[in-house]
Amino acid sequence: MSDMLAIGQSGVRAYARALDLVADNVANAATPGHVRRTATLSPVNAGGGKGPLELDPGGGSGVRLTAVSRAVDLLQMDTLRRAEGDVAALDVSARWLTSIEAAITGPNALDAPLNALFGAVSDLAGDPTNLAVRETLLARADALAGQFNRNAADLARLDEDLLAESAIKGATMNDLSQALADVNGRLRRSGSGTAASAALADERDRLLARLGSLGTLDVTLDPLGQAEVRIPDAGGPLLVSGSDARSVRVIPSATGLELRVGPTGADEPAPLLSGSIAGLSDARVQLTETRGRIDALATRIAEDFNTAHMQGVDDSGADGGALFETTLPLARPARANGGTARIDVSLADGAAVTAMTLGFDGTDWTLSRDDDGDSVSGPLPLTLDGHSVGGAGSARAGDQFRIEDAGGAAAIRLRPLDAGRIAPAQRWIAEPASANTGSAALELRPSASLPSPATPPFTLSHAGGLLTLTDSLGAVLGTGVPGGWIEGDGVSVRLTGAAADGDSFAIERNGAKSGANGNALALLALRDSGATTPGAEADALVSRVAVSAAARQQRFEIARENRNQAAEALSLASGVDLNSEATDMLRLQQAYGANARIIQAAREIFETLLQSSR
């Protein structure tokens, strides 16, 4: 009688637990990360001992639930995890490249203000004495400088935002690693083959999937299901082992971003092959390159315009000055600053930007040069070597700011000029003598003045194949041959073409309000100068980012399709098929009912025996 009860009780408990697993599968059929569970049932040999238990009924024959298995394919799971990492990397990279493209296109593009500036230069060449045209030129130059400044500021903000996102990704990886280490510890305590260990294994795999979307993982499982994780492969630094998780940091580097694993001072670099952190690193490489190209273009335009403009003369007959400033002191806050202070730096006329450090000790500020250590201390504002430093907001003790030259697109700006200081006329002019019989032409370019000033006008004469440059008093300034440059006093000359003996040229400096446009034409020639023109360089800058963004998007679409296929393959191996679960449920219900009838039969027999004994 007791054997029948033990058999029936063991069957009822075992099949009830198996039915619970089926119900759990059905309820979580659409739950991401749920892996189908199956019950392993084994017969119980007769032989006394303990009473019937759910997992190991020791007394009497019957059935027992010996294990809860997960229908998982570890290879397919690793394939899906890597595919997710590729998708995450390309998605993040494409998103940031789109933002970079938006920062330098449309209303932020450089082509419109650049073309407008050269259009104003063309107008100046056509009407060099018109003050309205000159004012327009200054306005166009200022607009171009302003657009460079905005581009630089927008790209700098993008870099700050990208670094902030990378720090969040690093913190998320730390949280997930610690959570995985906790799950490892619970797996070790739960034992294998139990429902609890199956649930923990699902949680482990979900954590690994999220970690895999951040970076490439190499995962090894021990017999208890604990995950050992290295980045990015078996030879990389250890991230999680058992209940221990090492911290990670994402830091900026020359190659975009760098992932370091382990405590500060003893950390190891981990290559970024896939995952969203790798995507951020790729985007930052593109961002850094774009910033460098815009800086180079701004510097080129400023230097070319300054050089050309300084070779002309203004309305007063004075030499033209620089159009653009190319240096700007900028205070960059340290990343560890805890206050809200904002620092402004201005530079005195004629002063050069010097690298300095501004620090706050809780009471006073100290401004010190990086090269020789000279410093001043006290409340703001502070002045040192032409640098005036002021600020607003509140600072905390230990806050620091680096003061250095912004350079490039952030620094370019129009110098304070009035329309009369525009120099459209060339500095020197040459007139051939009326008696010349040759066809030679004379080229002029400004040069350094001689130590002993000569007296213009100058004369270049040709005799016997030899050229002689003299001043108005007959002093010889230089000699040479046709085709070569001859250095004079403030001007260099070169004779090209066929010159006849006795030919000569008179050379003199342009005067005030000459109405000449030679230097305006030289400024206009900058539009088409160089191996790559400024306009073509600006277009190439945008095209480079746009092509990169389109390429990342195309690769993202392919990676997403590969990911979907890997997910489908894993779902077929590990997912829940409701038809199969319905079949199992029917089978288990029948087995449960049969064991319940055994218990009922044993009870009826027992009651019959009791009644017959009365």
Side-chain angles (χ1 to χ4, degrees):
M1 185 67 64
S2 62
D3 287 347
M4 290 182 65
L5 287 172
I7 291 171
Q9 188 178 30
S10 69
V12 167
R13 289 188 174 182
Y15 288 112
R17 186 67 188 95
L19 283 168
D20 287 342
L21 293 180
V22 173
D24 191 41
N25 286 336
V26 173
N28 292 284
T31 302
H34 177 78
V35 176
R36 181 173 179 264
R37 285 113 159 92
T38 57
T40 302
L41 302 175
S42 302
V44 178
N45 295 325
K50 299 178 181 179
L53 299 174
E54 179 185 353
L55 293 181
D56 189 11
S61 299
V63 65
R64 63 177 179 175
L65 192 153
T66 54
V68 176
S69 303
R70 300 171 70 241
V72 64
D73 187 322
L74 295 179
L75 179 59
Q76 289 181 338
M77 187 169 289
D78 182 68
T79 300
L80 176 59
R81 186 164 53 240
R82 293 179 182 274
E84 289 281 9
D86 291 339
V87 168
L90 292 168
D91 184 30
V92 168
S93 179
R95 172 168 55 85
W96 276 97
L97 285 175
T98 300
S99 297
I100 296 170
E101 183 181 2
I104 57 175
T105 56
N108 301 316
L110 289 166
D111 55 349
L114 186 59
N115 291 335
L117 174 58
F118 280 115
V121 174
S122 178
D123 292 341
L124 179 67
D127 192 0
T129 61
N130 191 319
L131 289 180
V133 169
R134 296 184 179 201
E135 292 286 0
T136 300
L137 172 63
L138 292 175
R140 297 290 186 265
D142 188 49
L144 177 61
Q147 188 58 65
F148 272 118
N149 298 158
R150 287 188 293 275
N151 286 157
D154 290 344
L155 293 175
R157 280 193 292 270
L158 281 179
D159 192 43
E160 292 175 0
D161 293 344
L162 190 150
L163 292 176
E165 182 174 334
S166 70
I168 293 173
K169 297 293 186 184
T172 301
M173 180 172 278
N174 285 328
D175 293 341
L176 294 174
S177 300
Q178 187 57 58
L180 180 60
D182 294 341
V183 169
N184 278 346
R186 291 157 62 192
L187 277 167
R188 185 174 63 251
R189 295 188 297 272
S190 68
S192 61
T194 64
S197 66
L200 288 171
D202 280 356
E203 180 62 20
R204 175 203 65 205
D205 292 342
R206 278 190 286 266
L207 290 171
L208 287 171
R210 294 180 64 188
L211 278 170
S213 70
L214 295 173
T216 309
L217 308 180
D218 180 81
V219 181
T220 304
L221 301 180
D222 69 7
L224 294 177
Q226 297 182 102
E228 180 182 275
V229 181
R230 292 181 178 272
I231 302 179
D233 51 36
L238 186 65
L239 180 64
V240 178
S241 179
S243 298
D244 296 325
R246 302 176 73 193
S247 61
V248 303
R249 294 182 301 133
V250 183
I251 59 176
S253 72
T255 56
L257 296 172
E258 184 176 7
L259 179 66
R260 301 195 68 86
V261 182
T264 303
D267 50 1
E268 305 173 69
L272 293 169
L273 303 181
S274 67
S276 54
I277 298 177
L280 287 171
S281 181
D282 174 64
R284 190 164 190 268
V285 170
Q286 298 289 331
L287 176 57
T288 302
E289 182 177 330
T290 301
R291 296 178 71 183
R293 287 175 175 271
I294 285 185
D295 285 343
L297 179 57
T299 300
R300 172 189 173 180
I301 289 174
E303 291 179 349
D304 286 353
F305 266 85
N306 286 347
T307 300
H309 190 258
M310 287 188 293
Q311 292 180 355
V313 291
D314 61 20
D315 277 358
S316 68
D319 292 347
L323 282 175
F324 294 103
E325 294 283 2
T326 57
T327 62
L328 177 69
L330 186 67
R332 304 182 189 276
R335 296 182 64 85
N337 283 4
T340 60
R342 299 184 306 277
I343 301 300
D344 298 316
V345 186
S346 59
L347 195 65
D349 288 341
V353 179
T354 304
M356 298 185 180
T357 300
L358 178 69
F360 185 63
D361 62 7
T363 303
D364 288 324
W365 293 87
T366 298
L367 178 63
S368 59
R369 292 175 58 115
D370 291 353
D371 51 6
D372 58 16
D374 284 352
S375 64
V376 292
S377 298
L380 294 181
L382 295 173
T383 301
L384 178 63
D385 295 339
H387 298 68
S388 296
V389 179
S394 59
R396 291 185 181 179
D399 282 0
Q400 285 192 339
F401 294 82
R402 287 276 302 147
I403 298 173
E404 52 195 2
D405 187 2
I412 184 174
R413 61 193 189 279
L414 181 69
R415 294 183 66 244
L417 298 173
D418 59 49
R421 291 289 294 154
I422 297 296
Q426 64 272 31
R427 189 180 301 177
W428 296 92
I429 56 176
E431 288 289 338
S434 59
N436 285 2
T437 58
S439 60
L442 191 64
E443 295 181 26
L444 305 175
R445 69 182 184 190
S447 65
S449 299
L450 296 177
S452 299
T455 304
F458 307 134
T459 300
L460 181 71
S461 57
H462 176 259
L466 181 67
L467 297 173
T468 303
L469 182 64
T470 59
D471 69 359
S472 61
L473 301 179
V476 177
L477 305 180
T479 60
V481 295
W485 287 99
I486 301 174
E487 297 293 330
D489 186 16
V491 63
S492 297
V493 300
R494 180 170 65 177
L495 193 67
T496 59
D501 276 352
D503 283 357
S504 64
F505 295 82
I507 304 165
E508 60 182 343
R509 185 184 171 96
N510 235 330
K513 299 184 181 298
S514 68
N517 68 348
N519 204 50
L521 293 173
L523 288 169
L524 185 60
L526 298 177
R527 180 176 55 188
D528 303 313
S529 65
T532 303
T533 66
E537 192 171 333
D539 292 340
L541 180 113
V542 174
S543 297
R544 191 179 188 88
V545 177
V547 169
S548 296
R552 298 301 188 282
Q553 186 62 36
Q554 185 176 25
R555 289 171 55 194
F556 167 73
E557 298 294 340
I558 296 173
R560 185 170 59 180
E561 181 61 28
N562 292 338
R563 186 272 313 276
N564 292 342
Q565 293 177 3
E568 183 178 356
L570 181 62
S571 178
L572 291 175
S574 305
V576 176
D577 179 19
L578 294 179
N579 292 329
S580 298
E581 297 303 318
T583 301
D584 282 349
M585 181 174 291
L586 180 60
R587 176 178 58 82
L588 293 171
Q589 283 175 339
Q590 291 173 345
Y592 180 89
N595 281 273
R597 285 194 294 271
I598 291 175
I599 295 175
Q600 182 180 4
R603 187 189 66 182
E604 291 174 353
I605 293 173
F606 185 69
E607 289 178 351
T608 302
L609 289 176
L610 286 177
Q611 291 175 1
S612 64
S613 65
R614 291 176 182 174

